[in-house]
Amino acid sequence: MAINVGLCDDEANELDRLERFVAGYGEKRAVVFQTHRFLSGEELLESISAGQAFDLLFLDIYMNGADGIEVARKVRETGAAGEIIFATSSAEHAVNGYQVRAIQYLLKPLADEELIAAMDQALETLALRSNRCILIQNRSGSYRIPLKEIVFAESNAKIVRIHTLKDGSIEYYDRLDNFERQCGDQRFLRCHKSFLVNLDFAYSIQENAIRLFTGEDIRISMSVSEARKIFTRHAARRLTERSG
């Protein structure tokens, strides 16, 4: 499966250099990358809004129009969880870069050894995320639950019940807010104060519920139009990943 990389810089020669680097890095690491070029943050955001998903983004900060920090914030607001590497001419915004969960902040002119280290870190992080698990403890013991096995979670009176695909439900004492933060994954939607749904298992959005492939209807309290928008965007990302 190809790793989708977005390259965003308002200078075409910088995009050329990054594109050549990613291609060469892929050959050395035996990894397939699919690169997408953007000359402005607005172009990048339009692509994401249309359903394009990126595993990794290279963002310049000083660009015509929206700057890279602003673009990164908007990317995060969409729920996108891909890795971000800033490549820019000044260290002025380094702190802001890490506020949007960037993994690296590189200064131009870009050195090959720094780019290689950043790409190695990005690949390692992506690999860990694809197999991420969470650890839950209750009176019966400890449970290591893969995120991909969690269908949905619900809470009642500070008891969280996790419904899994293979192992039934697991209960423990906590708040759903804490469980949501622990998951920290774009596939999960907080559709109701008492429900968190894994959109990988969503079949359709009804007027007041999310229907799951497993048969459950999960109540929603958010705007139905917003829920459908998020569901459609998630479905588009999944299609992109499968066709990559």
Side-chain angles (χ1 to χ4, degrees):
M1 180 183 296
I3 294 176
N4 281 322
V5 181
L7 310 175
C8 187
D9 197 301
D10 60 356
E11 296 184 20
N13 63 323
E14 291 290 344
L15 292 176
D16 292 340
R17 195 265 167 108
L18 280 173
E19 197 165 31
R20 287 194 301 270
F21 169 80
V22 171
Y25 177 89
E27 291 179 2
K28 291 179 181 178
R29 294 288 193 267
V31 177
V32 178
F33 293 100
Q34 185 173 359
T35 56
H36 308 258
R37 298 163 57 109
F38 303 95
L39 283 166
S40 72
E42 288 81 4
E43 286 184 12
L44 170 62
L45 292 171
E46 286 177 10
S47 177
I48 292 174
S49 180
Q52 177 65 59
F54 295 101
D55 301 296
L56 174 62
L57 288 175
F58 276 92
L59 279 174
D60 189 15
I61 289 183
Y62 298 102
M63 297 186 291
N64 295 322
D67 66 52
I69 297 294
E70 180 183 353
V71 171
R73 288 198 182 105
K74 290 181 178 178
V75 167
R76 292 303 188 210
E77 287 171 5
T78 70
E83 302 307 321
I84 294 176
I85 296 174
F86 284 112
T88 188
S89 57
S90 171
E92 180 182 357
H93 296 284
V95 173
N96 293 332
Y98 293 111
Q99 289 175 353
V100 292
R101 306 195 305 278
I103 60 169
Q104 284 289 345
Y105 193 108
L106 306 179
L107 293 179
K108 296 178 180 178
L110 300 174
D112 283 351
E113 59 271 19
E114 292 179 344
L115 282 168
I116 291 170
M119 289 291 288
D120 285 346
Q121 182 181 353
L123 288 186
E124 181 179 353
T125 304
L126 289 169
L128 289 172
R129 180 185 298 144
S130 66
N131 297 303
R132 275 191 59 209
C133 296
I134 59 172
L135 183 65
I136 297 299
Q137 294 180 320
N138 60 18
R139 292 180 180 178
S140 300
S142 299
Y143 302 85
R144 186 172 178 269
I145 309 172
L147 292 186
K148 64 183 180 182
E149 295 291 331
I150 298 171
V151 180
F152 70 97
E154 60 181 313
S155 67
N156 183 28
K158 296 185 179 180
I159 298 294
V160 174
R161 181 180 293 112
I162 306 167
H163 298 263
T164 70
L165 187 62
K166 296 180 180 178
D167 299 320
S169 61
I170 300 168
E171 293 184 354
Y172 75 112
Y173 182 80
D174 202 355
R175 297 174 59 87
L176 192 59
D177 289 348
N178 294 333
F179 177 74
E180 182 181 10
R181 281 193 291 269
Q182 188 177 2
C183 289
D185 192 285
Q186 63 183 340
R187 80 190 86 176
F188 290 97
L189 174 64
R190 186 71 173 271
C191 59
H192 186 282
K193 67 178 182 179
S194 299
F195 291 96
L196 183 73
V197 173
N198 185 341
L199 290 175
D200 285 352
F201 295 96
Y203 174 73
S204 65
I205 307 296
Q206 308 297 314
E207 285 303 316
N208 58 1
I210 298 177
R211 181 156 295 170
L212 304 180
F213 284 109
T214 49
E216 296 94 342
D217 284 344
I218 307 300
R219 284 182 293 158
I220 62 175
S221 58
M222 62 191 302
S223 160
V224 175
S225 62
E226 181 65 17
R228 285 176 175 157
K229 179 180 178 181
I230 294 171
F231 171 70
T232 300
R233 190 162 58 213
H234 179 80
R237 279 199 297 262
R238 293 280 291 170
L239 287 172
T240 300
E241 290 169 359
R242 289 169 182 169
S243 63

